[in-house]
PDB file of all heavy atoms in Angstrom:
ATOM      1  N   ALA A  85      -1.423  16.431  -5.899  1.00  0.00           N
ATOM      2  CA  ALA A  85      -2.272  16.194  -7.075  1.00  0.00           C
ATOM      3  C   ALA A  85      -2.417  14.696  -7.326  1.00  0.00           C
ATOM      4  O   ALA A  85      -3.508  14.207  -7.662  1.00  0.00           O
ATOM      5  CB  ALA A  85      -1.676  16.887  -8.300  1.00  0.00           C
ATOM      6  N   ALA A  86      -1.322  13.948  -7.142  1.00  0.00           N
ATOM      7  CA  ALA A  86      -1.375  12.498  -7.383  1.00  0.00           C
ATOM      8  C   ALA A  86      -2.357  11.828  -6.414  1.00  0.00           C
ATOM      9  O   ALA A  86      -3.198  11.014  -6.830  1.00  0.00           O
ATOM     10  CB  ALA A  86       0.017  11.889  -7.240  1.00  0.00           C
ATOM     11  N   VAL A  87      -2.278  12.173  -5.136  1.00  0.00           N
ATOM     12  CA  VAL A  87      -3.172  11.515  -4.171  1.00  0.00           C
ATOM     13  C   VAL A  87      -4.620  11.953  -4.414  1.00  0.00           C
ATOM     14  O   VAL A  87      -5.562  11.153  -4.277  1.00  0.00           O
ATOM     15  CB  VAL A  87      -2.706  11.722  -2.707  1.00  0.00           C
ATOM     16  CG1 VAL A  87      -2.976  13.101  -2.183  1.00  0.00           C
ATOM     17  CG2 VAL A  87      -3.352  10.695  -1.788  1.00  0.00           C
ATOM     18  N   GLU A  88      -4.822  13.190  -4.837  1.00  0.00           N
ATOM     19  CA  GLU A  88      -6.190  13.632  -5.130  1.00  0.00           C
ATOM     20  C   GLU A  88      -6.733  12.917  -6.370  1.00  0.00           C
ATOM     21  O   GLU A  88      -7.922  12.610  -6.444  1.00  0.00           O
ATOM     22  CB  GLU A  88      -6.228  15.160  -5.305  1.00  0.00           C
ATOM     23  CG  GLU A  88      -7.622  15.768  -5.443  1.00  0.00           C
ATOM     24  CD  GLU A  88      -8.516  15.674  -4.189  1.00  0.00           C
ATOM     25  OE1 GLU A  88      -8.023  15.323  -3.102  1.00  0.00           O
ATOM     26  OE2 GLU A  88      -9.727  15.946  -4.331  1.00  0.00           O
ATOM     27  N   MET A  89      -5.869  12.641  -7.356  1.00  0.00           N
ATOM     28  CA  MET A  89      -6.319  11.880  -8.527  1.00  0.00           C
ATOM     29  C   MET A  89      -6.825  10.501  -8.102  1.00  0.00           C
ATOM     30  O   MET A  89      -7.850  10.026  -8.582  1.00  0.00           O
ATOM     31  CB  MET A  89      -5.176  11.719  -9.541  1.00  0.00           C
ATOM     32  CG  MET A  89      -4.890  12.963 -10.354  1.00  0.00           C
ATOM     33  SD  MET A  89      -3.532  12.613 -11.530  1.00  0.00           S
ATOM     34  CE  MET A  89      -3.218  14.271 -12.153  1.00  0.00           C
ATOM     35  N   ILE A  90      -6.072   9.856  -7.196  1.00  0.00           N
ATOM     36  CA  ILE A  90      -6.507   8.535  -6.711  1.00  0.00           C
ATOM     37  C   ILE A  90      -7.847   8.665  -5.979  1.00  0.00           C
ATOM     38  O   ILE A  90      -8.773   7.874  -6.194  1.00  0.00           O
ATOM     39  CB  ILE A  90      -5.448   7.925  -5.747  1.00  0.00           C
ATOM     40  CG1 ILE A  90      -4.130   7.674  -6.478  1.00  0.00           C
ATOM     41  CG2 ILE A  90      -5.993   6.661  -5.073  1.00  0.00           C
ATOM     42  CD1 ILE A  90      -4.097   6.466  -7.370  1.00  0.00           C
ATOM     43  N   HIS A  91      -7.946   9.667  -5.136  1.00  0.00           N
ATOM     44  CA  HIS A  91      -9.191   9.875  -4.376  1.00  0.00           C
ATOM     45  C   HIS A  91     -10.365  10.101  -5.348  1.00  0.00           C
ATOM     46  O   HIS A  91     -11.429   9.484  -5.195  1.00  0.00           O
ATOM     47  CB  HIS A  91      -8.996  11.066  -3.433  1.00  0.00           C
ATOM     48  CG  HIS A  91     -10.228  11.538  -2.763  1.00  0.00           C
ATOM     49  ND1 HIS A  91     -11.011  10.722  -1.962  1.00  0.00           N
ATOM     50  CD2 HIS A  91     -10.849  12.763  -2.755  1.00  0.00           C
ATOM     51  CE1 HIS A  91     -12.043  11.414  -1.498  1.00  0.00           C
ATOM     52  NE2 HIS A  91     -11.976  12.649  -1.975  1.00  0.00           N
ATOM     53  N   CYS A  92     -10.157  10.967  -6.340  1.00  0.00           N
ATOM     54  CA  CYS A  92     -11.250  11.272  -7.284  1.00  0.00           C
ATOM     55  C   CYS A  92     -11.626  10.039  -8.101  1.00  0.00           C
ATOM     56  O   CYS A  92     -12.807   9.793  -8.346  1.00  0.00           O
ATOM     57  CB  CYS A  92     -10.866  12.432  -8.206  1.00  0.00           C
ATOM     58  SG  CYS A  92     -10.695  13.995  -7.312  1.00  0.00           S
ATOM     59  N   TYR A  93     -10.624   9.266  -8.506  1.00  0.00           N
ATOM     60  CA  TYR A  93     -10.940   8.005  -9.222  1.00  0.00           C
ATOM     61  C   TYR A  93     -11.819   7.115  -8.350  1.00  0.00           C
ATOM     62  O   TYR A  93     -12.797   6.526  -8.817  1.00  0.00           O
ATOM     63  CB  TYR A  93      -9.642   7.298  -9.651  1.00  0.00           C
ATOM     64  CG  TYR A  93      -9.488   5.861  -9.179  1.00  0.00           C
ATOM     65  CD1 TYR A  93     -10.298   4.824  -9.676  1.00  0.00           C
ATOM     66  CD2 TYR A  93      -8.546   5.525  -8.208  1.00  0.00           C
ATOM     67  CE1 TYR A  93     -10.164   3.515  -9.210  1.00  0.00           C
ATOM     68  CE2 TYR A  93      -8.409   4.235  -7.743  1.00  0.00           C
ATOM     69  CZ  TYR A  93      -9.226   3.230  -8.238  1.00  0.00           C
ATOM     70  OH  TYR A  93      -9.113   1.958  -7.762  1.00  0.00           O
ATOM     71  N   SER A  94     -11.469   7.029  -7.057  1.00  0.00           N
ATOM     72  CA  SER A  94     -12.237   6.127  -6.181  1.00  0.00           C
ATOM     73  C   SER A  94     -13.678   6.615  -6.044  1.00  0.00           C
ATOM     74  O   SER A  94     -14.615   5.809  -5.972  1.00  0.00           O
ATOM     75  CB  SER A  94     -11.563   5.983  -4.816  1.00  0.00           C
ATOM     76  OG  SER A  94     -11.842   7.092  -3.973  1.00  0.00           O
ATOM     77  N   LEU A  95     -13.870   7.937  -6.022  1.00  0.00           N
ATOM     78  CA  LEU A  95     -15.237   8.468  -5.909  1.00  0.00           C
ATOM     79  C   LEU A  95     -16.029   8.168  -7.178  1.00  0.00           C
ATOM     80  O   LEU A  95     -17.201   7.773  -7.118  1.00  0.00           O
ATOM     81  CB  LEU A  95     -15.202   9.987  -5.646  1.00  0.00           C
ATOM     82  CG  LEU A  95     -14.515  10.435  -4.346  1.00  0.00           C
ATOM     83  CD1 LEU A  95     -14.551  11.958  -4.223  1.00  0.00           C
ATOM     84  CD2 LEU A  95     -15.146   9.799  -3.113  1.00  0.00           C
ATOM     85  N   VAL A  96     -15.374   8.347  -8.347  1.00  0.00           N
ATOM     86  CA  VAL A  96     -16.053   8.087  -9.628  1.00  0.00           C
ATOM     87  C   VAL A  96     -16.504   6.630  -9.691  1.00  0.00           C
ATOM     88  O   VAL A  96     -17.652   6.330 -10.024  1.00  0.00           O
ATOM     89  CB  VAL A  96     -15.117   8.410 -10.825  1.00  0.00           C
ATOM     90  CG1 VAL A  96     -15.758   7.985 -12.145  1.00  0.00           C
ATOM     91  CG2 VAL A  96     -14.775   9.896 -10.852  1.00  0.00           C
ATOM     92  N   HIS A  97     -15.601   5.710  -9.337  1.00  0.00           N
ATOM     93  CA  HIS A  97     -15.958   4.291  -9.406  1.00  0.00           C
ATOM     94  C   HIS A  97     -16.950   3.914  -8.304  1.00  0.00           C
ATOM     95  O   HIS A  97     -17.856   3.114  -8.537  1.00  0.00           O
ATOM     96  CB  HIS A  97     -14.694   3.430  -9.339  1.00  0.00           C
ATOM     97  CG  HIS A  97     -13.961   3.354 -10.650  1.00  0.00           C
ATOM     98  ND1 HIS A  97     -12.960   2.452 -10.910  1.00  0.00           N
ATOM     99  CD2 HIS A  97     -14.105   4.071 -11.797  1.00  0.00           C
ATOM    100  CE1 HIS A  97     -12.501   2.628 -12.147  1.00  0.00           C
ATOM    101  NE2 HIS A  97     -13.181   3.604 -12.701  1.00  0.00           N
ATOM    102  N   ASP A  98     -16.791   4.498  -7.128  1.00  0.00           N
ATOM    103  CA  ASP A  98     -17.712   4.188  -6.027  1.00  0.00           C
ATOM    104  C   ASP A  98     -19.145   4.606  -6.366  1.00  0.00           C
ATOM    105  O   ASP A  98     -20.104   3.975  -5.918  1.00  0.00           O
ATOM    106  CB  ASP A  98     -17.253   4.896  -4.751  1.00  0.00           C
ATOM    107  CG  ASP A  98     -18.067   4.481  -3.530  1.00  0.00           C
ATOM    108  OD1 ASP A  98     -17.984   3.306  -3.151  1.00  0.00           O
ATOM    109  OD2 ASP A  98     -18.794   5.325  -2.975  1.00  0.00           O
ATOM    110  N   ASP A  99     -19.285   5.663  -7.166  1.00  0.00           N
ATOM    111  CA  ASP A  99     -20.620   6.171  -7.509  1.00  0.00           C
ATOM    112  C   ASP A  99     -21.306   5.357  -8.609  1.00  0.00           C
ATOM    113  O   ASP A  99     -22.501   5.539  -8.853  1.00  0.00           O
ATOM    114  CB  ASP A  99     -20.515   7.648  -7.967  1.00  0.00           C
ATOM    115  CG  ASP A  99     -20.166   8.587  -6.820  1.00  0.00           C
ATOM    116  OD1 ASP A  99     -20.447   8.229  -5.661  1.00  0.00           O
ATOM    117  OD2 ASP A  99     -19.616   9.677  -7.080  1.00  0.00           O
ATOM    118  N   LEU A 100     -20.562   4.490  -9.284  1.00  0.00           N
ATOM    119  CA  LEU A 100     -21.123   3.740 -10.426  1.00  0.00           C
ATOM    120  C   LEU A 100     -22.306   2.860 -10.010  1.00  0.00           C
ATOM    121  O   LEU A 100     -22.373   2.419  -8.848  1.00  0.00           O
ATOM    122  CB  LEU A 100     -20.034   2.851 -11.031  1.00  0.00           C
ATOM    123  CG  LEU A 100     -18.981   3.566 -11.891  1.00  0.00           C
ATOM    124  CD1 LEU A 100     -17.794   2.631 -12.160  1.00  0.00           C
ATOM    125  CD2 LEU A 100     -19.586   4.058 -13.210  1.00  0.00           C
ATOM    126  N   PRO A 101     -23.205   2.571 -10.947  1.00  0.00           N
ATOM    127  CA  PRO A 101     -24.335   1.685 -10.621  1.00  0.00           C
ATOM    128  C   PRO A 101     -23.907   0.343 -10.016  1.00  0.00           C
ATOM    129  O   PRO A 101     -24.580  -0.186  -9.146  1.00  0.00           O
ATOM    130  CB  PRO A 101     -25.022   1.490 -11.979  1.00  0.00           C
ATOM    131  CG  PRO A 101     -24.688   2.748 -12.737  1.00  0.00           C
ATOM    132  CD  PRO A 101     -23.297   3.136 -12.296  1.00  0.00           C
ATOM    133  N   ALA A 102     -22.752  -0.177 -10.433  1.00  0.00           N
ATOM    134  CA  ALA A 102     -22.306  -1.478  -9.906  1.00  0.00           C
ATOM    135  C   ALA A 102     -21.856  -1.381  -8.453  1.00  0.00           C
ATOM    136  O   ALA A 102     -21.718  -2.404  -7.772  1.00  0.00           O
ATOM    137  CB  ALA A 102     -21.155  -2.019 -10.752  1.00  0.00           C
ATOM    138  N   MET A 103     -21.610  -0.164  -7.971  1.00  0.00           N
ATOM    139  CA  MET A 103     -21.178  -0.007  -6.570  1.00  0.00           C
ATOM    140  C   MET A 103     -22.277   0.719  -5.793  1.00  0.00           C
ATOM    141  O   MET A 103     -23.310   0.151  -5.528  1.00  0.00           O
ATOM    142  CB  MET A 103     -19.824   0.702  -6.517  1.00  0.00           C
ATOM    143  CG  MET A 103     -18.754  -0.138  -7.222  1.00  0.00           C
ATOM    144  SD  MET A 103     -17.192  -0.140  -6.384  1.00  0.00           S
ATOM    145  CE  MET A 103     -16.154  -0.884  -7.638  1.00  0.00           C
ATOM    146  N   ASP A 104     -22.087   2.016  -5.487  1.00  0.00           N
ATOM    147  CA  ASP A 104     -23.082   2.694  -4.642  1.00  0.00           C
ATOM    148  C   ASP A 104     -24.258   3.263  -5.426  1.00  0.00           C
ATOM    149  O   ASP A 104     -25.254   3.681  -4.828  1.00  0.00           O
ATOM    150  CB  ASP A 104     -22.399   3.818  -3.848  1.00  0.00           C
ATOM    151  CG  ASP A 104     -22.131   3.400  -2.420  1.00  0.00           C
ATOM    152  OD1 ASP A 104     -22.271   2.193  -2.140  1.00  0.00           O
ATOM    153  OD2 ASP A 104     -21.796   4.260  -1.594  1.00  0.00           O
ATOM    154  N   ASP A 105     -24.111   3.365  -6.729  1.00  0.00           N
ATOM    155  CA  ASP A 105     -25.176   3.866  -7.609  1.00  0.00           C
ATOM    156  C   ASP A 105     -25.695   5.227  -7.139  1.00  0.00           C
ATOM    157  O   ASP A 105     -26.857   5.379  -6.787  1.00  0.00           O
ATOM    158  CB  ASP A 105     -26.320   2.831  -7.674  1.00  0.00           C
ATOM    159  CG  ASP A 105     -27.263   3.120  -8.833  1.00  0.00           C
ATOM    160  OD1 ASP A 105     -26.940   3.984  -9.675  1.00  0.00           O
ATOM    161  OD2 ASP A 105     -28.339   2.493  -8.884  1.00  0.00           O
ATOM    162  N   ASP A 106     -24.785   6.212  -7.143  1.00  0.00           N
ATOM    163  CA  ASP A 106     -25.151   7.561  -6.674  1.00  0.00           C
ATOM    164  C   ASP A 106     -25.278   8.532  -7.845  1.00  0.00           C
ATOM    165  O   ASP A 106     -24.532   8.452  -8.819  1.00  0.00           O
ATOM    166  CB  ASP A 106     -24.071   8.091  -5.714  1.00  0.00           C
ATOM    167  CG  ASP A 106     -24.338   7.663  -4.292  1.00  0.00           C
ATOM    168  OD1 ASP A 106     -25.477   7.894  -3.818  1.00  0.00           O
ATOM    169  OD2 ASP A 106     -23.439   7.086  -3.654  1.00  0.00           O
ATOM    170  N   ASP A 107     -26.223   9.452  -7.691  1.00  0.00           N
ATOM    171  CA  ASP A 107     -26.460  10.461  -8.743  1.00  0.00           C
ATOM    172  C   ASP A 107     -25.788  11.786  -8.432  1.00  0.00           C
ATOM    173  O   ASP A 107     -25.674  12.648  -9.309  1.00  0.00           O
ATOM    174  CB  ASP A 107     -27.973  10.745  -8.871  1.00  0.00           C
ATOM    175  CG  ASP A 107     -28.734   9.521  -9.339  1.00  0.00           C
ATOM    176  OD1 ASP A 107     -28.078   8.540  -9.750  1.00  0.00           O
ATOM    177  OD2 ASP A 107     -29.984   9.555  -9.294  1.00  0.00           O
ATOM    178  N   LEU A 108     -25.422  11.991  -7.174  1.00  0.00           N
ATOM    179  CA  LEU A 108     -24.939  13.300  -6.725  1.00  0.00           C
ATOM    180  C   LEU A 108     -23.589  13.155  -6.036  1.00  0.00           C
ATOM    181  O   LEU A 108     -23.415  12.303  -5.164  1.00  0.00           O
ATOM    182  CB  LEU A 108     -25.960  13.883  -5.737  1.00  0.00           C
ATOM    183  CG  LEU A 108     -25.828  15.348  -5.361  1.00  0.00           C
ATOM    184  CD1 LEU A 108     -26.113  16.245  -6.562  1.00  0.00           C
ATOM    185  CD2 LEU A 108     -26.793  15.685  -4.213  1.00  0.00           C
ATOM    186  N   ARG A 109     -22.643  14.002  -6.417  1.00  0.00           N
ATOM    187  CA  ARG A 109     -21.319  14.021  -5.775  1.00  0.00           C
ATOM    188  C   ARG A 109     -20.809  15.457  -5.831  1.00  0.00           C
ATOM    189  O   ARG A 109     -20.825  16.075  -6.882  1.00  0.00           O
ATOM    190  CB  ARG A 109     -20.367  13.076  -6.525  1.00  0.00           C
ATOM    191  CG  ARG A 109     -18.923  13.143  -6.144  1.00  0.00           C
ATOM    192  CD  ARG A 109     -18.626  12.594  -4.772  1.00  0.00           C
ATOM    193  NE  ARG A 109     -18.892  11.180  -4.642  1.00  0.00           N
ATOM    194  CZ  ARG A 109     -18.744  10.511  -3.489  1.00  0.00           C
ATOM    195  NH1 ARG A 109     -18.346  11.143  -2.390  1.00  0.00           N
ATOM    196  NH2 ARG A 109     -19.021   9.215  -3.423  1.00  0.00           N
ATOM    197  N   ARG A 110     -20.330  15.952  -4.727  1.00  0.00           N
ATOM    198  CA  ARG A 110     -19.828  17.331  -4.639  1.00  0.00           C
ATOM    199  C   ARG A 110     -20.871  18.320  -5.178  1.00  0.00           C
ATOM    200  O   ARG A 110     -20.559  19.293  -5.856  1.00  0.00           O
ATOM    201  CB  ARG A 110     -18.496  17.473  -5.387  1.00  0.00           C
ATOM    202  CG  ARG A 110     -17.364  16.677  -4.736  1.00  0.00           C
ATOM    203  CD  ARG A 110     -16.066  16.691  -5.512  1.00  0.00           C
ATOM    204  NE  ARG A 110     -14.955  16.180  -4.696  1.00  0.00           N
ATOM    205  CZ  ARG A 110     -13.740  15.925  -5.162  1.00  0.00           C
ATOM    206  NH1 ARG A 110     -13.453  16.130  -6.425  1.00  0.00           N
ATOM    207  NH2 ARG A 110     -12.806  15.477  -4.342  1.00  0.00           N
ATOM    208  N   GLY A 111     -22.149  18.002  -4.908  1.00  0.00           N
ATOM    209  CA  GLY A 111     -23.247  18.901  -5.270  1.00  0.00           C
ATOM    210  C   GLY A 111     -23.577  18.913  -6.757  1.00  0.00           C
ATOM    211  O   GLY A 111     -24.348  19.768  -7.202  1.00  0.00           O
ATOM    212  N   ARG A 112     -23.021  17.980  -7.514  1.00  0.00           N
ATOM    213  CA  ARG A 112     -23.272  17.947  -8.970  1.00  0.00           C
ATOM    214  C   ARG A 112     -23.570  16.512  -9.393  1.00  0.00           C
ATOM    215  O   ARG A 112     -23.271  15.563  -8.663  1.00  0.00           O
ATOM    216  CB  ARG A 112     -22.029  18.413  -9.735  1.00  0.00           C
ATOM    217  CG  ARG A 112     -21.559  19.816  -9.385  1.00  0.00           C
ATOM    218  CD  ARG A 112     -20.323  20.173 -10.191  1.00  0.00           C
ATOM    219  NE  ARG A 112     -19.297  19.154 -10.062  1.00  0.00           N
ATOM    220  CZ  ARG A 112     -18.237  19.035 -10.859  1.00  0.00           C
ATOM    221  NH1 ARG A 112     -18.081  19.864 -11.870  1.00  0.00           N
ATOM    222  NH2 ARG A 112     -17.339  18.089 -10.665  1.00  0.00           N
ATOM    223  N   PRO A 113     -24.100  16.352 -10.616  1.00  0.00           N
ATOM    224  CA  PRO A 113     -24.313  14.974 -11.091  1.00  0.00           C
ATOM    225  C   PRO A 113     -22.990  14.196 -11.080  1.00  0.00           C
ATOM    226  O   PRO A 113     -21.930  14.764 -11.367  1.00  0.00           O
ATOM    227  CB  PRO A 113     -24.810  15.163 -12.533  1.00  0.00           C
ATOM    228  CG  PRO A 113     -25.345  16.554 -12.586  1.00  0.00           C
ATOM    229  CD  PRO A 113     -24.551  17.362 -11.586  1.00  0.00           C
ATOM    230  N   THR A 114     -23.070  12.927 -10.712  1.00  0.00           N
ATOM    231  CA  THR A 114     -21.873  12.070 -10.731  1.00  0.00           C
ATOM    232  C   THR A 114     -21.378  11.920 -12.175  1.00  0.00           C
ATOM    233  O   THR A 114     -22.099  12.226 -13.122  1.00  0.00           O
ATOM    234  CB  THR A 114     -22.202  10.697 -10.124  1.00  0.00           C
ATOM    235  OG1 THR A 114     -23.447  10.240 -10.671  1.00  0.00           O
ATOM    236  CG2 THR A 114     -22.355  10.779  -8.625  1.00  0.00           C
ATOM    237  N   VAL A 115     -20.146  11.429 -12.322  1.00  0.00           N
ATOM    238  CA  VAL A 115     -19.534  11.409 -13.665  1.00  0.00           C
ATOM    239  C   VAL A 115     -20.335  10.537 -14.631  1.00  0.00           C
ATOM    240  O   VAL A 115     -20.543  10.919 -15.789  1.00  0.00           O
ATOM    241  CB  VAL A 115     -18.048  10.950 -13.576  1.00  0.00           C
ATOM    242  CG1 VAL A 115     -17.441  10.844 -14.970  1.00  0.00           C
ATOM    243  CG2 VAL A 115     -17.247  11.933 -12.727  1.00  0.00           C
ATOM    244  N   HIS A 116     -20.822   9.385 -14.168  1.00  0.00           N
ATOM    245  CA  HIS A 116     -21.567   8.525 -15.114  1.00  0.00           C
ATOM    246  C   HIS A 116     -22.911   9.134 -15.478  1.00  0.00           C
ATOM    247  O   HIS A 116     -23.476   8.812 -16.529  1.00  0.00           O
ATOM    248  CB  HIS A 116     -21.736   7.101 -14.569  1.00  0.00           C
ATOM    249  CG  HIS A 116     -22.581   6.992 -13.335  1.00  0.00           C
ATOM    250  ND1 HIS A 116     -22.084   7.191 -12.078  1.00  0.00           N
ATOM    251  CD2 HIS A 116     -23.892   6.709 -13.175  1.00  0.00           C
ATOM    252  CE1 HIS A 116     -23.040   7.036 -11.187  1.00  0.00           C
ATOM    253  NE2 HIS A 116     -24.157   6.743 -11.828  1.00  0.00           N
ATOM    254  N   LYS A 117     -23.432  10.030 -14.639  1.00  0.00           N
ATOM    255  CA  LYS A 117     -24.689  10.727 -14.980  1.00  0.00           C
ATOM    256  C   LYS A 117     -24.410  11.846 -15.971  1.00  0.00           C
ATOM    257  O   LYS A 117     -25.162  12.070 -16.903  1.00  0.00           O
ATOM    258  CB  LYS A 117     -25.342  11.310 -13.706  1.00  0.00           C
ATOM    259  CG  LYS A 117     -25.997  10.272 -12.842  1.00  0.00           C
ATOM    260  CD  LYS A 117     -27.331   9.862 -13.457  1.00  0.00           C
ATOM    261  CE  LYS A 117     -27.875   8.609 -12.798  1.00  0.00           C
ATOM    262  NZ  LYS A 117     -29.009   8.046 -13.545  1.00  0.00           N
ATOM    263  N   LYS A 118     -23.323  12.572 -15.749  1.00  0.00           N
ATOM    264  CA  LYS A 118     -22.963  13.707 -16.597  1.00  0.00           C
ATOM    265  C   LYS A 118     -22.490  13.209 -17.971  1.00  0.00           C
ATOM    266  O   LYS A 118     -22.810  13.797 -18.994  1.00  0.00           O
ATOM    267  CB  LYS A 118     -21.859  14.506 -15.897  1.00  0.00           C
ATOM    268  CG  LYS A 118     -21.298  15.658 -16.681  1.00  0.00           C
ATOM    269  CD  LYS A 118     -22.195  16.863 -16.626  1.00  0.00           C
ATOM    270  CE  LYS A 118     -21.580  18.017 -17.411  1.00  0.00           C
ATOM    271  NZ  LYS A 118     -22.504  19.140 -17.531  1.00  0.00           N
ATOM    272  N   PHE A 119     -21.707  12.124 -17.975  1.00  0.00           N
ATOM    273  CA  PHE A 119     -21.178  11.577 -19.231  1.00  0.00           C
ATOM    274  C   PHE A 119     -21.943  10.266 -19.495  1.00  0.00           C
ATOM    275  O   PHE A 119     -23.112  10.313 -19.852  1.00  0.00           O
ATOM    276  CB  PHE A 119     -19.658  11.374 -19.119  1.00  0.00           C
ATOM    277  CG  PHE A 119     -18.911  12.690 -19.016  1.00  0.00           C
ATOM    278  CD1 PHE A 119     -18.765  13.350 -17.795  1.00  0.00           C
ATOM    279  CD2 PHE A 119     -18.352  13.271 -20.140  1.00  0.00           C
ATOM    280  CE1 PHE A 119     -18.083  14.557 -17.702  1.00  0.00           C
ATOM    281  CE2 PHE A 119     -17.679  14.486 -20.064  1.00  0.00           C
ATOM    282  CZ  PHE A 119     -17.550  15.124 -18.839  1.00  0.00           C
TER     283      PHE A 119
END
Side-chain angles (χ1 to χ4, degrees):
V87 75
E88 187 67 11
M89 284 181 189
I90 297 283
H91 170 58
C92 293
Y93 125 69
S94 80
L95 298 180
V96 173
H97 281 193
D98 187 65
D99 290 336
L100 284 167
M103 298 220 192
D104 259 12
D105 195 10
D106 273 308
D107 296 349
L108 193 67
R109 170 70 64 183
R110 294 175 167 171
R112 301 180 308 165
T114 45
V115 176
H116 65 276
K117 285 283 167 191
K118 176 79 179 172
F119 293 83

